[in-house]
Amino acid sequence: LPDGRPVYAGTYYPKNDWMNILNQIVKLKNEDLGRLEQTASQLTDGINNSNLITVSDKEINFSKEDMQSYIKRALVLYDRRHGGRSGSPKFPMPNSYEFLMKYHWLTGDTDAREVTELGLDKMAKGGIYDQLGGGFARYSVDATWLVPHFEKMLYDNGQLVSVYAQAYKLFGKPLYKEVVENTIAFVERELMSEEYGFYSSLDADSEGKEGKFYVWSQFEIDSLLTDENARNAFKEYYDVSSGGNWEFHNILNIVKDKNTRADSLNISVETLETWLKESKEILFEARSKRIRPGLDDKILTSWNALMMAGYLDAYDALGNPDYLQMAMNNASFILDKQMQKDGRLNRNYKDGKSNINAFLDDYALTAHAFLKLYEATFDIQWIEHAEKLVSYCMDHFYNNDNKMFNYTSDLDPALIAKKSEYNDNVIPASNSSMARVLHKLGTLRYNKEYIGNAEQMMKNMIEQVIGNDYLSFYSNWMQLLFDISRSPYEVAIVGSDALDLRNELAQKYTANTIYLGSTKEENLDLLKGKYLEGTTMIYVCQDKVCKLPVEASNKALELMTP
């Protein structure tokens, strides 16, 4: 209606259906305006009521046994043959796997490990992953990860780099390392601007047809791969046939185990890998000459923050200094183009112009990435930038009535409802993300108010979280609950070799660890009085209580046991 109240809502209508709906609404307006008014009132009330969160004063009492009971219920909904949630379509849901890895590390639960590895393996071998060029499509339309909706989104790829990097640290599978490296290569090749901002997405379509850029006929592959042995090995390994596996074309996906295939050909795995690598390079070069999918070249702050965090997780797992440099380049882009001196962010950057007052997810995810950048560099400016963002949110987004955060700033025009995001999804909810930032920043800074804010938000949500079996709706809240229930390790490293030791530690998986340190005397409370010239010491602490310092990273890891 003219006052902004909705009278109808829906998504994804074919053109003719949408035109019919519009004509029906016009007819109602002319013939029965009162009915539209009634519908508008009901919808508006529903929107406002759906946003209700009450302040809880119950203490958080969630044990390891409670977590085990919750996970046992949640994992019933997972597909034990193809991975991911049962049924179709299938979305990657990377944050869920992040939590399951934490849980497995804590408990040793083999069921959580199997679900995680199966899901990550199937995605990496499926058609949802671009076997030639790296990077993931948005989701799979089927239950087996074969047929993707071919659109490639930055927010998926940033988070999946993080997940596969963490999984590589935990499980050590070479496949996961390969996925991280190839996905980053895709992002830099196709989604990175000259200013080190990252574009939003690639379209699913090219030449008016979905997936045309990515799929192959057997004839095309036969004509390009001239070595018969290599060609046949490639086609069998990647499921290529004359009839195709999708609409008479082939979506490359891995259906053969390398060891089994090499044995059947009576060759070494190394020879097979050489054939596959050379064949992929030939096809990739040929594909690069096709008409490309369209590029959505807007640069969104929140999605860039997810990609920055992905680079930092990849740096931890693989130790490639280029990944750290790229994260720093992207952070500088956000500081220079999107962040104001008072901590206010803009959401969008396009054609050299920064605009749109940012939303809560922009602040929460950027602050999260900045804190990870501090942990990678021990440069305190990144804590200070995160503090500025959090302070701005407390002033302009915090809702004193329910102790949560609104999605839009109090500087934005008033809407029919002040909405807030509480449920996690493919991207974690902005409230769960901000709560985790508050908890981490509060721990780093000994800021009891911020830790209290995070705990209050968790109290408000805990009945919803543990009363629901759909892990993907609350996985980020579960990560916060994990850290509140089991205090993070605060690993303080002080001395001239602080960064080297930090990098050694970060290559090993630990579920809830915060790294802080310095090569000199520093004013962070946990670092004060710990600097001793000529030596580097590692202090493993929890709740500000530190164990005796050690000098070797392996000794520190022994102190960080589940």
Side-chain angles (χ1 to χ4, degrees):
L1 296 181
D3 62 8
R5 288 178 297 153
V7 295
Y8 190 85
T11 56
Y12 297 123
Y13 289 103
K15 180 178 178 180
N16 289 339
D17 292 352
W18 180 234
M19 295 295 288
N20 289 335
I21 289 167
L22 293 178
N23 285 325
Q24 290 173 30
I25 292 174
V26 170
K27 184 179 180 182
L28 272 174
K29 175 184 178 295
N30 293 332
E31 298 178 2
D32 193 355
L33 184 59
R35 184 177 169 189
L36 281 185
E37 288 281 354
Q38 182 182 9
T39 301
S41 296
Q42 291 172 342
L43 279 174
T44 302
D45 289 344
I47 290 169
N48 281 294
N49 290 335
S50 71
N51 207 36
L52 293 178
I53 289 288
T54 57
V55 177
S56 172
D57 58 1
K58 293 182 179 178
E59 291 302 313
I60 298 173
N61 184 16
F62 195 70
S63 66
K64 182 190 289 189
E65 290 71 29
D66 293 328
M67 194 172 293
Q68 289 171 320
S69 175
Y70 173 85
I71 291 297
K72 186 175 182 179
R73 299 196 325 266
L75 292 187
V76 170
L77 301 175
Y78 278 76
D79 184 337
R80 299 311 179 96
R81 182 179 178 188
H82 300 295
R85 281 279 306 280
S86 295
S88 62
K90 273 185 160 67
F91 287 81
M93 309 307 293
N95 194 270
S96 296
Y97 292 115
E98 275 198 5
F99 172 69
L100 287 175
M101 284 189 283
K102 277 190 170 185
Y103 171 76
H104 166 69
W105 177 86
L106 175 67
T107 64
D109 187 288
T110 56
D111 206 22
R113 173 173 183 155
E114 289 170 4
V115 164
T116 301
E117 287 193 85
L118 179 63
L120 296 182
D121 288 354
K122 291 292 187 178
M123 284 193 289
K125 294 178 180 179
I128 192 174
Y129 178 68
D130 182 352
Q131 301 295 335
L132 288 186
F136 289 85
R138 189 173 166 212
Y139 61 89
S140 172
V141 302
D142 61 2
T144 66
W145 303 107
L146 171 63
V147 182
H149 175 54
F150 287 89
E151 189 177 21
K152 285 181 171 180
M153 312 298 295
L154 179 66
Y155 65 76
D156 283 320
N157 285 284
Q159 291 181 92
L160 286 165
V161 166
S162 285
V163 168
Y164 278 93
Q166 292 170 29
Y168 179 66
K169 292 200 296 185
L170 184 57
F171 304 129
K173 288 188 174 181
L175 174 64
Y176 298 165
K177 178 176 182 284
E178 181 181 328
V179 166
V180 169
E181 292 173 335
N182 290 343
T183 301
I184 285 177
F186 151 71
V187 169
E188 293 183 8
R189 184 178 65 244
E190 302 191 41
L191 293 180
M192 188 172 73
S193 75
E194 293 181 356
E195 299 167 290
Y196 299 107
F198 297 107
Y199 301 130
S200 293
S201 65
L202 289 177
D203 291 347
D205 299 0
S206 56
E207 301 183 72
K209 186 170 178 60
E210 181 169 353
K212 186 173 182 179
F213 182 77
Y214 300 100
V215 300
W216 299 86
S217 69
Q218 179 173 267
F219 175 79
E220 288 177 290
I221 290 175
D222 285 346
S223 64
L224 288 164
L225 303 182
T226 56
D227 183 304
E228 183 178 2
N229 289 329
R231 179 174 67 240
N232 290 336
F234 180 90
K235 290 196 299 183
E236 185 166 349
Y237 187 74
Y238 284 111
D239 191 26
V240 175
S241 65
S242 58
N245 53 27
W246 179 68
E247 296 185 358
F248 306 107
H249 285 79
N250 293 282
I251 299 171
L252 300 183
N253 69 114
I254 298 172
V255 295
K256 293 287 182 179
D257 175 78
K258 283 182 182 177
N259 290 315
T260 303
R261 182 60 182 141
D263 288 343
S264 70
L265 293 171
N266 198 28
I267 59 173
S268 68
V269 172
E270 290 73 21
T271 297
L272 176 61
E273 288 178 338
T274 298
W275 286 354
L276 295 175
K277 180 176 183 292
E278 291 173 350
S279 298
K280 287 171 68 175
E281 289 172 352
I282 292 169
L283 294 183
F284 180 78
E285 178 64 25
R287 193 180 79 172
S288 67
K289 297 173 183 176
R290 295 176 176 176
I291 296 175
R292 305 187 60 76
L295 172 68
D296 181 349
D297 64 351
K298 66 178 178 288
I299 298 173
L300 297 177
T301 301
S302 57
W303 295 8
N304 272 248
L306 291 171
M307 192 67 238
M308 189 198 313
Y311 270 104
L312 293 167
D313 282 317
Y315 172 66
D316 285 352
L318 307 186
N320 186 336
D322 292 342
Y323 295 162
L324 175 59
Q325 185 59 55
M326 195 60 69
M328 294 177 70
N329 291 343
N330 185 243
S332 295
F333 168 84
I334 290 176
L335 289 181
D336 295 342
K337 305 296 184 182
Q338 302 295 80
M339 188 169 170
Q340 316 302 313
K341 290 183 179 180
D342 64 351
R344 189 183 72 80
L345 284 172
N346 278 343
R347 180 172 181 81
N348 181 65
Y349 184 86
K350 181 176 167 61
D351 298 331
K353 296 179 181 178
S354 174
N355 56 24
I356 304 178
N357 196 29
F359 303 136
L360 182 63
D361 56 343
D362 297 296
Y363 288 88
L365 296 174
T366 302
H368 168 72
F370 283 173
L371 291 178
K372 288 179 75 72
L373 191 51
Y374 166 75
E375 290 183 277
T377 63
F378 293 158
D379 184 344
I380 201 167
Q381 70 157 313
W382 300 112
I383 291 181
E384 293 167 350
H385 290 313
E387 282 181 308
K388 189 175 287 188
L389 293 173
V390 169
S391 178
Y392 190 91
C393 286
M394 296 301 299
D395 291 340
H396 296 283
F397 290 82
Y398 191 63
N399 185 332
N400 278 301
D401 293 334
N402 65 8
K403 310 303 181 187
M404 306 294 277
F405 289 85
N406 296 321
Y407 186 64
T408 55
S409 162
D410 59 6
L411 302 181
D412 290 322
L415 303 175
I416 61 163
K418 265 292 185 186
K419 288 297 294 177
S420 297
E421 282 187 339
Y422 302 128
N423 290 354
D424 298 319
N425 209 302
V426 176
I427 299 176
S430 51
N431 262 283
S432 65
S433 299
M434 181 55 74
R436 291 188 67 196
V437 165
L438 286 164
H439 190 264
K440 187 171 188 176
L441 182 58
T443 301
L444 279 166
R445 280 297 205 190
Y446 283 10
N447 187 318
K448 293 181 179 179
E449 180 180 355
Y450 283 168
I451 292 175
N453 291 141
E455 290 178 347
Q456 182 61 61
M457 294 171 75
M458 190 71 254
K459 289 177 184 179
N460 296 348
M461 291 295 300
I462 193 166
E463 288 190 9
Q464 286 188 41
V465 171
I466 64 176
N468 193 297
D469 295 344
Y470 291 94
L471 174 61
S472 56
F473 292 167
Y474 297 103
S475 58
N476 210 40
W477 288 110
M478 286 299 296
Q479 292 206 57
L480 174 65
L481 186 55
F482 183 104
D483 288 340
I484 290 174
S485 303
R486 191 183 189 285
S487 299
Y489 289 112
E490 306 147 10
V491 181
I493 313 171
V494 185
S496 58
D497 296 328
L499 284 171
D500 290 338
L501 287 173
R502 178 262 170 213
N503 291 341
E504 290 178 14
L505 289 168
Q507 286 188 326
K508 304 297 183 182
Y509 185 89
T510 53
N512 56 341
T513 302
I514 299 174
Y515 291 105
L516 63 163
S518 178
T519 56
K520 60 184 189 305
E521 190 66 48
E522 185 60 84
N523 66 355
L524 282 173
D525 285 348
L526 197 60
L527 301 179
K528 287 179 180 177
K530 291 183 169 63
Y531 178 74
L532 183 63
E533 191 168 350
T535 187
T536 301
M537 305 300 291
I538 307 170
Y539 298 80
V540 177
C541 315
Q542 277 183 298
D543 293 323
K544 306 171 187 61
V545 177
C546 300
K547 299 176 182 179
L548 290 175
V550 296
E551 295 184 63
S553 58
N554 63 322
K555 295 297 183 183
L557 286 168
E558 291 174 3
L559 301 176
M560 291 186 278
T561 55

